[in-house]
Amino acid sequence: MNPADRLLVHAVRSTGHWTATLAAVTVTHVAAELALPAILGRAVDAAVGVTPDSSTGHWLLIAVGLIAVLVLTGAIRDYGTGAASARSVAALRHTLTRHIFSLDPRTAARHPVGDLVGRLVGQVADAGQAAPTLVRAGTVLLPPVGSLVALTLIDPWLGLTFVVGLLLLGVLLRRFVADASAAVAGYQQAQGTLAGLLVEALAGARTIAAAGTLEREVARVLTPVPALRAYGARTWSVLAGAATRGAVLNPLLQLAVVAVGGVSLAAGRLTPGELLAALQYAAIGAGLGTVVSTLQAAVRVRAGCRRATEVLDEPVRQHGTRTLPPGPGELELRGVTVRGTDGRPLLDRVDLRIPGGALLVVVGRSGAGKSLLAAVAGRLRDPDTGQVRLDGVPLPELTAAALTTATGYGFERPVLVGATVGEAVGCGADPVPVARAAAINDFVERLPHRYRTPLADVAMSGGERQRLGLARALRAERLLILDDATSSLDTVTEYRVTRALTAPDDRRTRIVVSHRVGMAARADLVAWVDGGRVRAVGPHPTLWDDPDYRAVFRS
């Protein structure tokens, strides 16, 4: 079973009992629909006295009962379709969201944010229609097959006429599925590309406005529109072609049944009631609209599953089963190499040992590999070769909970996550101590609802946002990694934060990527990164004797 089919099965299973309920209700609905023409025909024959049984009211009562069954099963089917789709879409979105957040950052970066949003919102919604569509696809042939059997029982010539019509219908629709699948898949791909470009442009809206490149960016974002238009036109062209063929074939088939039925009625092989039933069976069996809409829904479900599966096929970052033993937070990098997409080493055979509880400041020119070293140190990125150990345990062998509890990251441009300010700082614990250490508690205390203030209602400067992100990072128990996380702070605030980071009672191992000589001077050790290699490690006064080291800060 290929991945798209496995996702399809998962979508169906996630509906619980609704798939079986929909199947039972749909079969009951079709059975009542097929029985009604025969009952009405009997009523007509009884009314005109063709049959010895003249109990017209009896047959009409049965017909009313069948109509009630049709109404009831139709209502249950409509409700069940919505309920099954909602449960399936929710389950698929949960699965896809968890998978996206479990991806290695390098893997996630290959998919533009807008494209991922398009898959999560649009294509998963299509895939979530799997259960109702499967039920419809499994029962869509029941009306024509049932009509064929009924027509054959009424008069074999009517059955033969209907078979010829169905064969013509099959010929006319033989390329519909293939053409529609290609058009829908191409449309969804172009839609995802457009969404990705739009989100990217919106993120840089201020830069675009400042640079005066609005028209050029609009043209770039709208690059996929011609392909979108072409695939959309192709989709509607295929649908229109199928509908046109059906509009021609359907009345012709019914006209043929009328002609054959009329001849049989004149020959005495049919009663008026049987002719009425035959006409209704011809209309039921030749209804192309249901077949086309079911095929179209199946195409969209299949395309949605494929688009979601493309992301689900990406390997997630694996975690181990170990927890950290008691230790001071000693971090060791052994032969760590990280390569770019072109194969060029971005970090090249880095060996670095940081004693537990030490403050290490990482310095170097722009592009030297400082941020990448920080990412590797806390397993935001795994090295291509080499190993990173925390208190003797390789980071990939730790459970996700053990790793996130032990380590914390602060970034230059933090993304704040949570509904309230308190949740952005850290869920489930008292945020005040870390907020004070990050020099943000005074700001929060001035908010209308303090830490319960909705995050979306808070207007923040870059420095205030950076300090909230820093407060969240300070929850780390053993290893704190700050990647230029104080760059937007004013001098006084930076001094307060730096004093908290360099306090002698802080027993955590701290890695700080910084461009400032004052931070390097306060560090226990400085790692000087140059060209993807650690050029030197030592106290700042010792390294300061090297003119190349001094040039790092001047640059």
Side-chain angles (χ1 to χ4, degrees), residues 466-484:
Q466 198 171 68
R467 280 182 281 160
L468 276 177
L470 180 60
R472 188 178 188 96
L474 290 174
R475 292 198 172 280
E477 294 181 356
R478 202 171 298 200
L479 176 63
L480 176 63
I481 303 169
L482 304 180
D483 186 0
D484 216 10

Side-chain angles (χ1 to χ4, degrees), residues 255-507:
L255 182 61
V257 171
V258 169
V260 174
V263 172
S264 297
L265 179 65
R269 295 194 302 271
L270 291 183
T271 64
E274 289 174 334
L275 179 60
L276 174 64
L279 294 177
Q280 290 179 315
Y281 282 126
I284 292 172
L288 182 65
T290 302
V291 176
V292 171
S293 64
T294 300
L295 290 176
Q296 182 187 12
V299 166
R300 293 189 66 85
V301 167
R302 185 73 176 172
C305 286
R306 280 200 297 267
R307 291 275 291 165
T309 302
E310 288 173 1
V311 178
L312 293 174
D313 281 346
E314 297 280 9
V316 299
R317 186 170 52 178
Q318 299 295 326
H319 294 277
T321 59
R322 298 180 62 179
T323 57
L324 284 171
E330 179 180 278
L331 186 73
E332 185 177 7
L333 283 68
R334 298 180 178 178
V336 167
T337 296
V338 177
R339 300 185 181 279
T341 54
D342 58 356
R344 182 176 59 87
L346 305 177
L347 287 180
D348 189 12
R349 294 166 291 173
V350 171
D351 293 309
L352 180 63
R353 179 183 169 275
I354 308 169
L359 170 61
L360 175 80
V361 171
V362 181
V363 302
R365 296 178 184 273
S366 178
K370 304 183 299 298
S371 294
L372 187 54
L373 178 64
V376 169
R379 213 195 165 200
L380 282 185
R381 180 163 180 174
D382 286 328
D384 294 302
T385 59
Q387 195 174 71
V388 183
R389 291 173 173 263
L390 181 59
D391 284 325
V393 181
L395 295 187
E397 296 183 11
L398 291 173
T399 65
L403 181 63
T404 54
T405 300
T407 61
Y409 269 95
F411 300 101
E412 180 182 6
R413 299 180 183 88
V415 176
L416 302 180
V417 180
T420 65
V421 173
E423 291 180 5
V425 172
C427 302
D430 181 11
V432 174
V434 291
R436 284 176 176 164
I440 194 63
N441 184 64
D442 293 342
F443 168 78
V444 177
E445 289 294 330
R446 292 193 297 270
L447 297 176
H449 304 290
R450 297 179 175 84
Y451 287 94
R452 293 191 300 275
T453 304
L455 192 61
D457 296 342
V458 181
M460 287 179 284
S461 66
E464 289 159 351
R465 178 176 294 273
Q466 198 171 68
R467 280 182 281 160
L468 276 177
L470 180 60
R472 188 178 188 96
L474 290 174
R475 292 198 172 280
E477 294 181 356
R478 202 171 298 200
L479 176 63
L480 176 63
I481 303 169
L482 304 180
D483 186 0
D484 216 10
T486 61
S487 59
S488 298
L489 306 187
D490 59 77
T491 304
V492 174
T493 305
E494 184 188 17
Y495 173 76
R496 292 173 58 190
V497 172
T498 302
R499 188 174 59 182
L501 290 176
T502 58
D505 58 342
D506 193 337
R507 302 299 182 185

